[in-house]
Amino acid sequence: MAGKGKAKSKSKGRNRDTGGQDDVRGGGQGAGKGGGQGGGRAAGPVSGQVDGGLAELAPDRERARAWTLLIDGAPQSHVDLDDPGHLDFSYQRRIGHLIDLIAPARQPLNVVHLGGGAFTLARYTAASRPRSTQQIVEIDAALVAFVREHLPLDPQARVRVRAVDARAGLAKVPDGWADLVVADVFGGARTPAHLTSAEFLDDVRRALKPGGWYVANLADGPPLAHLRGQIATAASRFPELALAADPVVWRGKRFGNAVLVAADRELPVAEFTRRVASDPHPGRVEHGRALADFTGGAAPVADASAVASPEPPPSVFR
């Protein structure tokens, strides 16, 4: 659920809670109309119907081989094929900081991405940490095919894509396999209810190595009840948490994104805070007692009571 323009903080990952085809492997199928690996600046947008609606790739006027993926007019993610280390949206930059901080520079990771979009964060990880092994779980099989055709993955990247529901795909990850699980899952602009619960986080913990991190892109607006509930839920399963968001989101003045990181070991909060504060659109990081106080006594979410995240207001996409 990304807003218009550069480095915006509202964004929507795509993993609609509908059927899909399992296990799509390897690199892309080659360049499509106006996209892919051809030289020079793209001539114009590319569009196609996917399970989640009308997908469109809009060329970046400032970067020759960069594109913004939109679904039904809502920006999803941004990709620069020449520079996969460039993260345009604020929430993706914040997740990129965490990918940088989880381990020493260029150390390979095992990463699970719940929600695929344009595979932006998997491309970033492959570029910054060569020899990483990654799994993308993206339920929209038509979107996977669309992205592969027009924005091919580096065939040398060790990335496997499964077109299944995020929780079903997570269940197939071996115990203790992942250094990092990234959840950026939205269907119809809302995170599905079954991906908001403590039981879901139990399976995240099962898939993580000891010391591994869970990172989630959360979206909420006033009165921030969903965000508070998600923090409480994560705190019921992980002892260490930090949350990054724009100041106006923290104050409950605007619908937007927040990036949550949770772990069973101490987090590099000071460095994460410094990086988020230095972004083109600076954010604020809270942790510890201040983050616990922010939850305001919210209760953890269980499968039996879980609901989807709130619908963003129409103004988010204007």
Side-chain angles (χ1 to χ4, degrees):
M1 202 187 48
K4 297 179 180 179
K6 296 289 182 183
K8 296 294 185 182
S9 63
K10 306 185 188 72
S11 164
K12 180 174 67 177
R14 178 62 57 163
N15 192 315
R16 293 183 61 85
D17 191 21
T18 54
Q21 181 179 1
D22 192 16
D23 196 7
V24 186
R25 296 172 179 261
Q29 299 173 355
K33 296 177 292 181
Q37 298 180 341
R41 185 174 299 278
V46 182
S47 62
Q49 196 67 33
V50 299
D51 297 343
L54 180 65
E56 181 181 8
L57 290 173
D60 188 326
R61 290 174 293 181
E62 298 176 5
R63 290 174 169 262
R65 297 179 67 235
W67 303 80
T68 297
L69 171 67
L70 305 96
I71 306 290
D72 286 341
Q76 307 294 304
S77 53
H78 179 278
V79 170
D80 187 334
L81 295 178
D82 289 332
D83 182 11
H86 173 77
L87 298 176
D88 200 59
F89 291 168
S90 289
Y91 91 88
Q92 291 183 328
R93 289 178 64 89
R94 290 164 188 167
I95 295 175
H97 295 326
L98 293 168
I99 293 169
D100 293 344
L101 292 171
I102 190 173
R106 300 184 73 77
Q107 176 177 309
L109 300 174
N110 290 347
V111 185
V112 177
H113 302 269
L114 304 178
F119 311 159
T120 302
L121 291 167
R123 298 173 200 267
Y124 178 86
T125 304
S128 61
R129 296 183 175 275
R131 296 180 290 109
S132 292
T133 302
Q134 302 184 75
Q135 297 185 33
I136 297 172
V137 183
E138 169 55 68
I139 201 167
D140 193 331
L143 177 60
V144 169
F146 179 80
V147 171
R148 283 192 178 281
E149 179 182 1
H150 300 294
L151 302 174
L153 284 165
D154 181 346
Q156 302 303 314
R158 300 169 64 177
V159 180
R160 178 179 186 177
V161 186
R162 284 182 168 175
V164 297
D165 169 76
R167 195 153 162 180
L170 178 65
K172 295 183 179 181
V173 176
D175 293 2
W177 181 83
D179 296 290
L180 177 65
V181 173
V182 178
D184 185 13
V185 187
F186 289 78
R190 305 175 71 184
T191 301
H194 69 300
L195 304 178
T196 68
S197 68
E199 290 89 340
F200 164 65
L201 291 185
D202 286 337
D203 207 26
V204 170
R205 287 209 59 147
R206 177 200 59 76
L208 284 172
K209 296 178 181 178
W213 291 4
Y214 169 65
V215 173
N217 175 30
L218 308 173
D220 199 9
L224 300 179
H226 172 73
L227 185 58
R228 291 185 169 93
Q230 289 302 285
I231 298 167
T233 304
S236 74
R237 295 301 187 265
F238 294 93
E240 299 292 333
L241 306 177
L243 188 83
D246 287 355
V248 290
V249 175
W250 277 114
R251 294 195 297 268
K253 299 294 186 182
R254 191 186 71 194
F255 196 100
N257 292 75
V259 170
L260 174 70
V261 55
D264 61 7
R265 62 181 170 95
E266 186 176 359
L267 295 165
V269 174
E271 180 60 19
F272 183 44
T273 299
R274 186 191 69 78
R275 295 189 183 205
V276 170
S278 301
D279 281 340
H281 289 255
R284 192 176 91 223
V285 175
E286 294 288 3
H287 71 291
R289 177 59 65 85
L291 188 58
D293 290 345
F294 174 78
T295 65
V301 176
D303 273 344
S305 58
V307 297
S309 65
E311 188 81 29
S315 61
V316 167
F317 303 119
R318 291 175 185 165

